[in-house]
Amino acid sequence: MSIETLDTPRPRKGTASRPSVLPLLRSRLGWLASRYGLVAGFLILWQLSGPLGWVSPAVFPPLDKIFAALWQGLSSGALVDDIGISLQRAGIAFAAAVGLGIPLGLLMGQLPPVERALDPILQLFRQTSALALYPVFILLLGLGEASKVFVIFWATLFPILLATIGGVQEVDRKLIEMARSYGAGHLAIFRRVVLPASVPAIFVGLRLSATTALLLLIAAEMIGANKGLGFQVMNAQYNFQIPLMFAAIFLLAFLGLAANALLVALQRRLCRWSVADR
Amino acid sequence: MTVTDTLRGEVALRNLSKSYSLNGQVLQVLRHLDLDIRGGESLAIVGPSGCGKTTLLRLLAGLEAPDGGQVLIDGQAVTGVGTERAVIFQEPRLLPWLTVLDNVSFGLDLRGLSRDEARGRAMRYIRLVGLGGFETAFPRQLSGGMAQRVGIARALAIQPEILLLDEPFGALDAMTKLTMQEELTRIWQEEGVTMVLVTHDLEEAIFLADRVLVMSRDRAEPPRLISNDLPRPRDRSHRDFVDMRRQLMAQFGLH
């Protein structure tokens, strides 16, 4: 059999639509396969490796068990509570980091003396691991919600802050001069040139921070929490509820993907003018 | 040429001096320069890089202040940027997040024109530069020549008396450049603005200008003015045009 006859569907009389639909379908399927083929392969391998005896099903339960645990957790509402409290912690911390980081970054980027004065101490804070400081925050704020939210806030602040400062400082001087030549004052230049030009850089910071927020959330919930997805991962492992542990891990992965997708969608909306990066 | 009020867009340089300090060395770029530019005139400033031609344009624009002397526009001393002047830079300098229409409206928005009024006027200038139909495009979708046209439309939209052009076609390919020079001549004639054009392209200077100011890198040598009375529309291959170019090249010791 020749390759040619395999690949080119022969158009037949009276079925004009078939030749046009088939290649389209084929190219869509090809795209899907090239994009998600590895993920699908990974999941199939996972599902089969337990029953085939390649790994212990007790450590790597098959996917159907995990999804059963996930479904049970969600329908009974137990995991829903965990998701809620986790989202609340990460959400408050992230919102606070955005609320402080973007305005402060804009200010520092615009005013070199402020940046010069604040930069060394911020570098010192940034280089100190938030996890190393978590015990300090617990001492100061107690083992409750405040210290958890604060440690996440601490770690998420810096990516946003530094990205915003960088974004403001890297605004094309020539655009600022152009605006000036049209009589724009400081405020107009800030509003019409500096701010919009910084948006893509700020989004890079936001996406980095969202990832960091989830990372720190888990760490914070693994220490001294009795609710939340991070606690659930730890707790399920202690109790040897391995499918539930994986269910919580999958949820966390999903939250990360969802947060990123949300920010990418927002970025696309706000920065249609620039080529959106993934 | 359009009939213009001769007073509008008149530029006078009086005893203009400017120097920079570079690595502790003082570099005198302009020395006691006197020059009168008539309203509606097209003046080209040519010279090798580093001769101070761009500095002169920036002083005219009010983007920089002179060390001594004055720039007078319609008899008024320049103290900074002003809306009777518009600058067209070598790069289009469009705001990438704004559409063509919003970019052209930029100067009008800053002046507090209503949105409708600004967009209406911007549309007129978008059509004038031949970009009708592209008003919703973003800068990244435009070619270099189109982007530069948008920059020109943005400058014209504020209806300046004086158009200051800093090597406006320097970054364009040869073919686009020729088209743009013809377009600019047409626009200049239609709008009746004063035009001051910095360029290192002698042919461009001859094609566009009524007078050419020749600047030298040797600062002891004062700039010279050469009148260019070639009839318009100008023909680049005409004997007189070629003669003019030869004469101008001789100014730089070139053949």
Side-chain angles (χ1 to χ4, degrees):
Chain A
M1 204 189 289
S2 78
I3 295 165
E4 213 171 55
T5 49
L6 261 179
D7 275 354
T8 30
R10 283 159 194 247
R12 273 186 289 168
K13 279 179 190 171
T15 53
S17 65
R18 277 182 72 179
S20 64
V21 166
L22 214 61
L24 187 78
L25 193 71
R26 197 171 288 187
S27 76
R28 297 251 344 137
L29 280 176
W31 184 85
L32 279 175
S34 71
R35 179 136 181 84
Y36 297 111
L38 268 178
V39 173
F42 171 70
L43 292 177
I44 290 168
L45 188 71
W46 185 322
Q47 175 66 21
L48 295 179
S49 58
L52 289 176
W54 296 343
V55 293
S56 159
V59 179
F60 284 102
L63 288 174
D64 61 291
K65 289 248 173 65
I66 294 170
F67 282 112
L70 181 63
W71 176 247
Q72 203 201 338
L74 289 175
S75 55
S76 71
L79 277 177
V80 178
D81 281 354
D82 288 321
I83 294 171
I85 191 86
S86 285
L87 278 181
Q88 188 189 321
R89 285 167 183 153
I92 292 172
F94 185 71
V98 170
L100 180 67
I102 292 179
L104 187 62
L106 291 172
L107 190 76
M108 287 176 69
Q110 283 279 86
L111 303 172
V114 179
E115 205 251 330
R116 211 176 316 129
L118 283 178
D119 186 61
I121 188 129
L122 285 175
Q123 292 295 344
L124 178 70
F125 284 168
R126 183 172 79 105
Q127 297 300 340
T128 314
S129 162
L131 283 176
L133 290 173
Y134 190 32
V136 181
F137 298 149
I138 292 175
L139 277 179
L140 290 172
L141 301 167
L143 203 52
E145 288 304 299
S147 62
K148 287 183 186 55
V149 170
F150 194 79
V151 74
I152 302 168
F153 161 76
W154 184 266
T156 36
L157 176 65
F158 294 105
I160 295 177
L161 182 62
L162 295 174
T164 307
I165 295 171
V168 172
Q169 285 176 340
E170 268 160 44
V171 175
D172 191 349
R173 299 283 121 190
K174 289 180 168 177
L175 289 182
I176 293 176
E177 187 182 66
M178 181 280 295
R180 202 156 71 82
S181 82
Y182 281 92
H186 288 299
L187 201 67
I189 287 174
F190 178 75
R191 212 166 60 82
R192 289 173 187 271
V193 182
V194 175
L195 201 57
S198 311
V199 169
I202 292 175
F203 264 100
V204 172
L206 287 179
R207 287 166 62 185
L208 216 60
S209 280
T211 310
T212 313
L214 287 173
L215 202 76
L216 265 288
L217 171 75
I218 308 317
E221 285 181 344
M222 282 180 172
I223 305 168
N226 52 21
K227 255 187 178 156
L229 285 174
F231 161 76
Q232 219 33 273
V233 173
M234 226 39 196
N235 195 48
Q237 193 246 327
Y238 283 145
N239 298 328
F240 219 69
Q241 296 171 295
I242 303 303
L244 182 62
M245 180 188 85
F246 275 112
I249 291 174
F250 273 115
L251 274 177
L252 283 167
F254 174 75
L255 281 186
L257 286 173
N260 196 50
L262 206 70
L263 284 170
V264 169
L266 193 64
Q267 183 178 19
R268 287 246 169 89
R269 235 188 117 69
L270 285 175
C271 311
R272 263 182 313 155
W273 52 275
S274 76
V275 187
D277 51 332
R278 277 170 195 281
Chain B
M1 208 196 298
T2 331
V3 182
T4 45
D5 182 357
T6 46
L7 237 171
R8 238 176 75 94
E10 221 175 46
V11 183
L13 311 183
R14 292 286 171 263
N15 203 19
L16 201 65
S17 294
K18 177 78 183 174
S19 54
Y20 292 106
S21 62
L22 193 74
N23 305 331
Q25 222 177 351
V26 177
L27 205 69
Q28 180 102 31
V29 187
L30 298 173
R31 183 172 294 177
H32 309 300
L33 184 65
D34 282 296
L35 180 69
D36 286 280
I37 306 169
R38 296 183 296 270
E41 181 184 2
S42 165
L43 177 93
I45 306 171
V46 298
S49 40
C51 70
K53 54 189 194 298
T54 292
T55 301
L56 178 53
L57 198 83
R58 292 176 64 83
L59 290 174
L60 286 174
L63 287 169
E64 278 175 52
D67 298 332
Q70 277 186 317
V71 176
L72 300 165
I73 289 184
D74 298 333
Q76 291 275 314
V78 164
T79 54
V81 296
T83 47
E84 78 287 353
R85 285 158 285 156
V87 190
I88 294 169
F89 301 94
Q90 179 169 1
E91 323 79 22
R93 301 198 186 181
L94 305 179
L95 299 175
W97 50 89
L98 296 183
T99 60
V100 167
L101 183 63
D102 288 341
N103 263 296
V104 175
S105 312
F106 183 74
L108 303 172
D109 292 340
L110 279 174
R111 276 209 230 163
L113 256 74
S114 77
R115 205 182 149 78
D116 285 350
E117 205 180 333
R119 299 301 179 275
R121 212 204 274 185
M123 269 315 295
R124 206 162 81 230
Y125 286 96
I126 289 171
R127 284 194 208 99
L128 183 76
V129 298
L131 285 180
F134 284 95
E135 55 274 8
T136 57
F138 283 96
R140 70 177 157 88
Q141 300 169 303
L142 304 176
S143 69
M146 287 160 85
Q148 193 59 294
R149 279 165 202 258
V150 177
I152 293 171
R154 177 177 61 191
L156 291 171
I158 65 168
Q159 296 176 336
E161 298 169 19
I162 301 160
L163 213 49
L164 304 167
L165 303 105
D166 186 7
E167 301 188 23
F169 311 134
L172 301 181
D173 63 87
M175 289 293 283
T176 312
K177 190 170 173 167
L178 296 185
T179 322
M180 295 293 286
Q181 288 168 359
E182 284 180 14
E183 288 275 293
L184 185 62
T185 307
R186 177 180 62 83
I187 289 165
W188 167 66
Q189 288 173 336
E190 279 176 29
E191 298 291 305
V193 289
T194 308
M195 202 157 75
V196 181
L197 165 85
V198 162
T199 180
H200 52 245
D201 181 341
L202 299 183
E203 202 175 278
E204 181 169 276
I206 301 167
F207 189 78
L208 290 171
D210 297 326
R211 288 191 297 167
V212 181
L213 183 75
V214 180
M215 293 177 77
S216 147
R217 200 180 286 155
D218 178 8
R219 323 230 171 257
E221 208 175 313
R224 278 154 299 180
L225 261 177
I226 296 173
S227 305
N228 177 6
D229 302 323
L230 295 177
R232 294 176 192 267
R234 288 174 177 168
D235 176 357
R236 288 185 181 83
S237 54
H238 193 278
R239 250 187 83 89
D240 296 343
F241 194 100
V242 177
D243 279 348
M244 183 81 198
R245 194 174 67 184
R246 192 174 299 127
Q247 187 196 336
L248 208 53
M249 280 172 80
Q251 295 285 329
F252 298 101
L254 298 168
H255 308 288

